Amino acid sequence: MNAEIITVGTELISGKTLDQHSQYLSRECYSLGIPVYYHTSVGDNDKHLYDVIQQASLRSQLVFICGGLGPTDDDLSKEILARFLQEELVQDSEVLAHLAKFFAKRSGSIPPNNFKQTYVFKNGVVFQNQHGTAPGLAVTKNNVTYILLPGPPKELQPMFETSVRPFLMQLLSNQSVIVLRDLAFFGIGESRLEEVLYDLIQNQSNPQIATYALDAGVILRLTAFATDQEEAQRLITPLEKEIFRRVGNYCYSTKNESLEEVVFQSLNQQKKTVAFAESCTGGLTTHLLTIVPGSSKVLKGGLICYTNEIKSSLVKVPEEILETHGAVSFQTAKWLAENTREQFASDFALSITGVAGPESVENKPVGMVWIGLAEEGKTTRVYQLDLHGSRRRIQLMAAKYALFILQQRLKKGEPKK
Amino acid sequence: MNAEIITVGTELISGKTLDQHSQYLSRECYSLGIPVYYHTSVGDNDKHLYDVIQQASLRSQLVFICGGLGPTDDDLSKEILARFLQEELVQDSEVLAHLAKFFAKRSGSIPPNNFKQTYVFKNGVVFQNQHGTAPGLAVTKNNVTYILLPGPPKELQPMFETSVRPFLMQLLSNQSVIVLRDLAFFGIGESRLEEVLYDLIQNQSNPQIATYALDAGVILRLTAFATDQEEAQRLITPLEKEIFRRVGNYCYSTKNESLEEVVFQSLNQQKKTVAFAESCTGGLTTHLLTIVPGSSKVLKGGLICYTNEIKSSLVKVPEEILETHGAVSFQTAKWLAENTREQFASDFALSITGVAGPESVENKPVGMVWIGLAEEGKTTRVYQLDLHGSRRRIQLMAAKYALFILQQRLKKGEPKK
């Protein structure tokens, strides 16, 4: 079985909005062992969409159609598919009840335009929409299965998780359960990770292994097909163990958490607080941690000391240190971290000072970054990084490395498993 | 003439990478008055790509093919197009010279694999690649023009700007110049902007008006077609004047600059410095300014006072203020801004304190944000915002508003035009 994805909307082909569904659904299909061969975007145009669906029916056994399920006149995906398949649409009482409830919370009664959303394929399957009004639909004809999904990402993705993936598992029928495990890595590049795990990636078919690059870091996705959860675990556990034996140091999460969330949880569990002194990152490191709700429990704050004047006046780095070694140095990173920890009376403090570019500073190359980690009653550790890429890239990687260094430290603090 | 865009690469259909070319090229085509009807992504697969090209040749007069021009064996776009069109490929001496120069700077000589990149359509047009090895190509047959562009965005976009847009202008032939003017707005939503300019947007055909939403803010793109620059200016000037009359207050740039860049330039021109006190944004505001190279000329730094303890201990906000009015208040915003300006000895200081959510704080609703602007010898101004959306959204909008408020202030400082 191979699939293709059709996204519908004039806003896509006019360049107003970026299609992100095709990437999301391709990854999910790949995890299910279903290859995707084509992505197509087409406008809210009767004829164009009809032609695209017709063509898909000739070359794919699974066809996703995203968008065009809304209440307005130019939302035509369902109607055009019904016409193409010569399949009847009937009103669904469950969807009708859902819409009544949905609008009761808001305007009161169902707006006239929305009634078309209560019509579904007579011989099809309905996926209830927990986050909007348009249900998802599936219908199979001539050995091709068509899956219609609502356009808004906040509706499409939960619907896929809760309803579509199980539906596809049944369709694949040869498997009864699938278990996904996403291992999140930082500090090791995608290519290096594939190199170290080459034999596993090549020889594994079940569990399957795939890598996906993040803005900073890499996801390693393990996908196990099995008859039950237990068997899936039996398949995943030894593979995961072997992966951890080789590159475990670089793995910060196995539960779809961001690095920031992991740092927050570790600090929170260990009842520790942190503060930051940021130079080249200009506040990004601290901000990343504040993206996590409740971060005020562990974060005291930070000092953005962008000039040497502020480094000495507010963070109290001795001027001779700045004169002798410069702002981008082991010594300055050390002082920044220690003084910040004292001023904020926090358990940990990290400092980030470096050259983000495009110009070199103090004859130090672009990408040179020093990170200090100060801790009450412990010797301050200082790490040197040699980063590459644009100014923004260097700032992001420096900030993430600071959080990763803290996470590594907190990991050690936990009891060995 | 209508166009379609084909992006080539197994990394696209497997979901490894996100296609951003289709959106970019669609916007550019739209600006040229060329409607785009289809986006298609296909893998590095001989037959699939051949079929997609064949189909495109039957329904479009302009076909973009992006990617698959690299040196490796699975880079096949050019070869497959040549086979489909029965068009001859010949070695191009200029491209050969460019590659020799390119690799002389690096490994020394041209790697064997890269020689295939020196072959171009005998009856085609070549777009030199200033940022990589694969040249862009154009060839016309049976009234369909095919444009091959390299996959890397940092190669494709400059190539479009410098070579492809002029080429398309010639192709359109009915016009000899096109002038684009992107007006960047903040503080007014896309729908509100379209409302206020409705009559202009509806009645305008030349210049054409289109809106594009940014992460924060909106771009209004004016496109004028004319026989020469002067005429284009004559077309744009009165329209721009009318737009400014209606919503000029919200426009921060007409030169494709980010809000951060505009704030930096204004501060730099006026030889002023700034510092920030950030609570709910956790350092994001300061960081945004540090994305601009050279920002150390105008930015002294910032204090991230995430807890009340730090607000009073480091930023010296009187405890009675925090107790009486709370951290999220007019008074706290005022004290934060004033004390920060003093501590950093800067010309301006801005404070941002609010409720980013998901929980409300001090019985204050999620999205309530106070921004203080302190200035030497002037009364501190405090602004209240009522923001909506996710925690990240509220943080981003609060940070951008702080910069926008500073930019508005700096604008007034400039001599009236």
Side-chain angles (χ1 to χ4, degrees), chain B residues 327-328 354-357 359-366 368:
Chain B
V328 179
V355 186
E359 309 293 314
S360 63
V361 175
E362 302 171 348
N363 300 320
K364 283 149 186 168
V366 172
M368 175 189 271

Side-chain angles (χ1 to χ4, degrees), chain B residues 69 95 120 125-129 133-138 147-150 159 164:
Chain B
L69 298 181
V95 176
V120 307
V125 176
V126 178
F127 308 124
Q128 295 300 332
N129 187 337
T133 57
L137 303 173
I147 297 180
L148 289 155
L149 298 173
M159 185 182 288
V164 181

Side-chain angles (χ1 to χ4, degrees), chain A residues 343-356:
Chain A
Q343 288 196 52
F344 283 84
S346 57
D347 300 302
F348 297 100
L350 287 110
S351 62
I352 304 102
T353 179
V355 186

